[in-house]
Amino acid sequence: MRPRHLFFLLLILSFATTLQAQRKSWAVGVQIGENFSTLTGESDYDFRPGWSAGIHLSHYLLNDLVIRLEVNIDDRGANLNPSLNTDPFGANEYRLTYLSMPILLRYSTDTKFKFIAGGGLSVDVLLADEVSFGDAPPNSQPDFRRFNADLVGCLGGAYPITERFSLTAEGRTLWSMQSADRNAGEASRLGRFISWEFLFGLNFYL
C-alpha cells in the first residue's frame, strides 16, 4: 500500500472513530410510575390503579433511533363495576402481577428537550395473582395464563440535567394479545388487559 493511501485510510478511520466517540451508543436507566388497567371481557370492568417499575438497556442505532430492552414489574388488575356486582360471593377484583420484558424501537428528536415516540412488543410472565370475592380475603386462582404478550405504544419527552444524565416522562398504552385466563370457558368472560401507564425515569449515557 502506498504511503499516501495509508495516510488517507488512517485519516478516514480517525474521523469515523471521532464521530463514534461523540455519538451516544448505549444508555441504562430506571423507570417507575403508575398504571390504570382493565379487562375487555363480557362483564363491565372499571379501571384499577396499579404501579410499574423496572430497568432498561438502550442502544442507539442512529442518533435519533434507539432499540431498548426493559425488565419491569407490572401490577395490573380490574374492578367489577359495583352496579353489576349483585352476587355477594362473586369475584369483584382481579390483581395480577407480571414480570414484563418489552423490546421497543424509539425515535427521539435531536434537540435539548427530546420528543420521544415509539412502540414494540412485550413478553409477560405471571408472578402472582389475587382474586377478591365480596368481603372475603383475596385468594389465588390456578386458571390464569402464565405467559402473555402485549403490543406497546409510547409517547413522551426527555430533558438533560448533565452531559450524561437525563430525566424522562412518558405515557404508554398496552394491549394484551391474549386473554388473561387460559380456560376457554373463562376467557370470554375476563378478556384481555388494556393498560395506560405514566412513567418517570432517569437515564445514564455510557
Side-chain angles (χ1 to χ4, degrees):
M1 181 179 290
R2 295 180 180 180
R4 64 179 182 178
H5 292 165
L6 180 61
F7 171 77
F8 282 116
L9 178 61
L10 292 175
L11 184 63
I12 292 172
L13 289 175
S14 176
F15 180 70
T17 303
T18 301
L19 286 179
Q20 179 67 22
Q22 291 176 350
R23 183 172 67 87
K24 299 182 182 71
S25 294
W26 293 89
V28 295
V30 296
Q31 61 273 347
I32 188 170
E34 188 173 19
N35 67 52
F36 298 88
S37 57
T38 189
L39 291 162
T40 61
E42 294 178 351
S43 297
D44 184 10
Y45 294 100
D46 289 336
F47 280 90
R48 176 188 174 277
W51 55 271
S52 179
I55 58 176
H56 74 82
L57 173 67
S58 300
H59 177 57
Y60 282 77
L61 304 175
L62 300 170
N63 280 330
D64 54 3
L65 193 63
V66 177
I67 186 168
R68 172 160 158 161
L69 304 176
E70 298 182 357
V71 178
N72 301 318
I73 301 294
D74 288 333
D75 173 38
R76 304 180 194 173
N79 294 322
L80 186 65
N81 189 314
S83 63
L84 300 178
N85 190 19
T86 57
D87 183 359
F89 302 102
N92 56 11
E93 182 182 21
Y94 297 92
R95 177 177 179 178
L96 284 74
T97 303
Y98 290 96
L99 175 70
S100 64
M101 292 165 284
I103 177 169
L104 306 172
L105 192 63
R106 295 158 64 94
Y107 167 82
S108 62
T109 56
D110 190 17
T111 53
K112 184 174 182 179
F113 177 83
K114 296 181 181 297
F115 171 79
I116 298 170
L121 180 70
S122 176
V123 176
D124 307 326
V125 180
L126 183 63
L127 300 179
D129 59 82
E130 288 185 352
V131 181
S132 296
F133 294 88
D135 296 329
N139 62 69
S140 179
Q141 296 290 308
D143 56 353
F144 291 111
R145 194 182 298 278
R146 305 304 299 179
F147 299 95
N148 210 328
D150 305 315
L151 295 175
V152 184
C154 60
L155 194 66
Y159 185 81
I161 51 177
T162 69
E163 184 178 347
R164 288 188 175 270
F165 286 95
S166 68
L167 296 174
T168 63
E170 64 181 84
R172 292 186 183 181
T173 181
L174 291 82
W175 303 274
S176 290
M177 300 176 68
Q178 294 176 298
S179 59
D181 47 353
R182 64 185 182 210
N183 293 338
E186 297 291 325
S188 61
R189 182 171 62 84
L190 288 184
R192 306 178 184 187
F193 272 117
I194 295 178
S195 299
W196 296 91
E197 296 183 349
F198 303 94
L199 300 176
F200 298 92
L202 178 66
N203 292 348
F204 175 72
Y205 301 101
L206 303 177

